[in-house]
């Protein structure tokens, strides 16, 4: 959610990503912003972030093609996957990694092994909205030791729309 308009102060997130991209590759300029599989953080929600990147010389192409394996990823230097929302029984269960085709995962792995930069975004907050298990399927295939996890504390007695909500506590000093 940090990319979305209104969720960051002037230039902080775009500056960070510009520095990271330059650190990983001094020539990476072509960004594919993936928008298929019910992506939550679409390019439409991130116009300020994208405009900052464009001002620094990046091209940003939103692509919603499903499956990912049908996209020629070799045309891009950077692949941004901003929160794939693949199934969920509740907002809190991490999604269903079986719904992300193995061919798509392999296409992403091949992209990275061929020098591509991958950015996967996940979210976990008091309102749920985590698909950590879906994204971990990609991370596992990349043979990394890094995984997403869902670390939120909920209050089953304090509900909103029937779901657990953020805890309400009284602190007695």
């Amino acid at each position: 959610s940090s990319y979305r308009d209104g969720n960051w102060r002037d230039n902080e997130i775009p500056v960070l990503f510009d520095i990271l991209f330059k650190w990983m590759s001094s020539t990476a300029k072509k960004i594919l912003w993936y928008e298929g599989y019910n992506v939550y953080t679409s390019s439409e929600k991130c116009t300020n972030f994208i405009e900052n990147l464009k001002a620094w010389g990046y091209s940003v192409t939103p692509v919603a093609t499903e499956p990912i394996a049908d996209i020629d990823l070799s045309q891009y230097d950077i692949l941004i996957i901003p929160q794939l929302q693949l199934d969920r029984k509740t907002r809190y269960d991490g999604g269903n990694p079986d719904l992300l085709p193995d061919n798509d995962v392999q296409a992403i792995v091949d992209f990275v092994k061929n020098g591509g930069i991958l950015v996967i975004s996940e979210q976990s907050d008091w309102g749920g909205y985590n698909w950590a298990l879906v994204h971990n399927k990609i991370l596992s295939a990349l043979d990394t030791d890094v995984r997403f996890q869902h670390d939120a504390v909920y209050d089953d007695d304090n509900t909103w729309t029937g779901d657990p909500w953020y805890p309400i506590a009284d602190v007695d000093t």
Side-chain angles (χ1 to χ4, degrees):
S1 67
S2 297
Y3 304 137
R4 293 196 312 259
D5 295 344
N7 284 4
W8 44 276
R9 293 182 298 270
D10 289 340
N11 292 327
E12 65 185 9
I13 297 295
V15 167
L16 171 65
F17 277 85
D18 181 45
I19 291 167
L20 289 172
F21 293 155
K22 286 177 180 171
W23 175 69
M24 290 185 266
S25 169
S26 61
T27 60
K29 291 293 183 181
K30 297 178 186 174
I31 300 172
L32 185 152
W33 189 286
Y34 189 68
E35 299 203 324
Y37 296 126
N38 199 27
V39 159
Y40 183 71
T41 307
S42 68
S43 60
E44 290 176 359
K45 294 178 182 177
C46 304
T47 55
N48 293 331
F49 177 72
I50 290 170
E51 289 306 314
N52 276 273
L53 291 175
K54 286 180 178 179
W56 296 325
Y58 295 93
S59 65
V60 181
T61 306
V63 177
T65 301
E66 293 177 22
I68 295 169
D70 287 351
I71 302 169
D72 182 3
L73 296 177
S74 68
Q75 297 180 54
Y76 303 94
D77 305 310
I78 302 165
L79 171 59
I80 295 178
I81 299 178
Q83 196 175 10
L84 303 175
Q85 295 185 103
L86 289 172
D87 194 35
R88 66 172 191 224
K89 294 177 182 68
T90 72
R91 290 195 311 245
Y92 312 98
D93 66 4
N96 183 349
D98 294 334
L99 296 178
L100 181 62
D102 292 339
N103 287 345
D104 285 358
V105 174
Q106 189 59 53
I108 295 166
V109 168
D110 292 343
F111 171 76
V112 172
K113 286 185 177 180
N114 288 321
I117 296 169
L118 174 64
V119 176
I120 301 176
S121 302
E122 179 46 34
Q123 176 176 319
S124 174
D125 64 21
W126 45 262
Y129 305 110
N130 89 91
W131 282 267
L133 299 178
V134 175
H135 300 116
N136 286 344
K137 181 175 181 176
I138 299 168
L139 295 174
S140 178
L142 287 166
D143 199 27
T144 69
D145 293 330
V146 176
R147 298 291 185 276
F148 289 106
Q149 63 186 40
H150 183 53
D151 285 3
V153 176
Y154 300 104
D155 184 347
D156 292 333
D157 294 326
N158 177 33
T159 62
W160 180 68
T161 67
D163 291 322
W165 199 240
Y166 59 89
I168 296 177
D170 292 320
V171 178
D172 181 359
T173 59

